[in-house]
Amino acid sequence: MKPAIQFNRVHKHFGELQALNGIDLTIPQGEFFGLLGPNGAGKSTLINILAGLLKPTYGSASVMGYDVVNDYQAARMALGVVPQELVFDPFFNVREMLRFQAGYFGRGRENDAWVDEILEGLGLTDKAHTNMRKLSGGMKRRALIAQALAHKPPVIVLDEPTAGVDVELRQMLWEFIKKLNRDGHTIVLTTHYLEEAETLCSRVAMMKQGEIVALDSTANLLNKYAGKNLRLDLGGAPLPAPLFSMLKSGEHGVYMLALSHLSQVEFALSELRKANVQIDDMQLIEPDLEDVFMSLVGSASHRNTDSILQS
């Protein structure tokens, strides 16, 4: 069986800027795959190459076995992309937009049953005859997702699909997308909500500066890279200085310590006893995908240790 998506040593240069540096990635059919990384890691460039909006400087990419450059039409027919931006045609209602979108891919009135299924699955049935300009932001997001699915592509790329939307929409969207995946569609998700990737994706690739720095099942990444966390409520007391190197976050006397070994729990307790600091509460917390993400790619957005200790 041909892979749903394949990148072979893909490089992309913008002048002196190297956006992608030799990406090798194979995603089999039917997988729910997560593509994670900080802003500027190369995720959008990779997606744009897949969609035929950019050509790789070197290397090749394919969708369902079709080269995105040499077999552009067939590759694009097999792919549906939900972009981050709210871009839509303001002159049509939702159903008209979906019919036109399907028509661009050669699907006519016989596709109406699928359009109805999309509208129902995304909670858009009662908005089918509403002009796109009159929809709320959340409804426009649903309509753009529907637009990407209108031609019933076997491979679906969701680029930050739930950014800025309410919890109800997120839950409805994921129920529908999980159903599509059970029906055989391949799903590729980029998201900054790491709990989404942890819950939904069977396998994850993490990117940094145009390279894949980790590629494995979610379970293996959690076991391999992330240690446990120790949450300490010290009732407003300061953290003893010997524990600063373990500090992950902290505020108002509640601190999160990163543990690479369970033996560090005893070390932490020993230092607290030496400093005569009383523990109001203590909890050992299992790692999550955010811990893996931070250990591999880091983030400038996290508060530095000095500011934590001063809070």
Side-chain angles (χ1 to χ4, degrees):
M1 183 183 293
K2 295 177 180 177
I5 293 173
Q6 188 156 30
F7 293 97
N8 293 314
R9 300 189 62 78
V10 171
H11 295 252
K12 182 59 183 178
H13 301 163
F14 297 97
E16 295 183 358
L17 174 65
Q18 188 163 308
L20 297 175
N21 184 22
I23 298 294
D24 282 309
L25 177 63
T26 300
I27 301 174
Q29 293 184 35
E31 186 168 27
F32 204 130
F33 187 86
L35 186 62
L36 308 179
N39 293 332
K43 304 186 302 297
S44 293
T45 302
L46 206 60
I47 291 171
N48 286 337
I49 287 174
L50 203 62
L53 299 176
L54 292 173
K55 289 185 179 181
T57 306
Y58 307 107
S60 63
S62 64
V63 181
M64 298 297 289
Y66 300 107
D67 187 278
V68 298
V69 175
N70 299 325
D71 297 308
Y72 170 77
Q73 186 173 356
R76 194 64 187 85
M77 279 282 293
L79 183 69
V81 178
V82 180
Q84 294 183 35
E85 300 81 11
L86 290 175
V87 180
F88 58 90
D89 193 320
F91 298 104
F92 301 110
N93 65 38
V94 175
R95 181 178 290 279
E96 289 170 339
M97 181 190 70
L98 298 183
R99 280 179 172 167
F100 275 112
Q101 182 70 16
Y104 296 148
F105 292 88
R107 299 189 181 276
R109 293 282 181 174
E110 77 283 353
N111 197 55
D112 280 357
W114 171 243
V115 169
D116 288 338
E117 184 177 341
I118 295 171
L119 290 172
E120 182 178 355
L122 292 172
L124 287 167
T125 301
D126 62 342
K127 302 292 184 182
H129 300 290
T130 301
N131 187 280
M132 286 292 298
R133 287 175 296 181
K134 296 182 179 179
L135 296 179
S136 66
M139 286 296 178
K140 286 175 183 174
R141 174 67 63 184
R142 298 186 197 199
L144 287 181
I145 294 168
Q147 181 177 257
L149 302 176
H151 62 291
K152 204 171 185 177
V155 182
I156 302 164
V157 176
L158 305 166
D159 192 5
E160 300 286 348
T162 57
V165 302
D166 57 59
V167 174
E168 181 183 1
L169 171 56
R170 289 174 67 183
Q171 293 175 342
M172 176 178 288
L173 168 63
W174 292 133
E175 286 304 313
F176 185 60
I177 295 300
K178 285 191 288 186
K179 178 183 180 299
L180 293 179
N181 184 237
R182 289 193 299 269
D183 292 342
H185 291 262
T186 304
I187 311 295
V188 178
L189 168 69
T190 78
T191 179
H192 281 102
Y193 298 110
L194 297 185
E195 71 276 10
E196 288 185 344
E198 186 173 346
T199 301
L200 296 165
C201 301
S202 58
R203 202 161 56 110
V204 170
M206 292 189 176
M207 295 185 65
K208 181 178 181 180
Q209 297 178 346
E211 298 181 348
I212 293 177
V213 295
L215 173 61
D216 210 333
S217 69
T218 307
N220 284 346
L221 286 173
L222 290 172
N223 291 331
K224 188 184 300 183
Y225 291 101
K228 297 180 186 292
N229 295 313
L230 181 65
R231 181 183 180 276
L232 296 170
D233 184 348
L234 305 183
L239 190 72
L243 300 182
F244 288 178
S245 62
M246 299 165 59
L247 182 61
K248 181 178 177 182
S249 64
E251 193 170 9
H252 305 307
V254 179
Y255 302 95
M256 190 75 73
L257 304 184
L259 307 178
S260 55
H261 302 285
L262 280 177
S263 61
Q264 290 176 301
V265 173
E266 178 54 37
F267 170 73
L269 295 178
S270 175
E271 292 301 325
L272 290 168
R273 285 194 295 267
K274 290 178 185 177
N276 293 317
V277 175
Q278 182 176 342
I279 302 173
D280 286 355
D281 189 30
M282 181 175 72
Q283 185 179 8
L284 194 62
I285 299 175
E286 292 295 326
D288 58 22
L289 206 54
E290 183 174 359
D291 296 310
V292 179
F293 184 86
M294 291 305 303
S295 68
L296 289 170
V297 304
S299 174
S301 65
H302 270 56
R303 303 167 64 191
N304 63 40
T305 301
D306 290 340
S307 65
I308 291 173
L309 295 173
Q310 292 167 6
S311 64

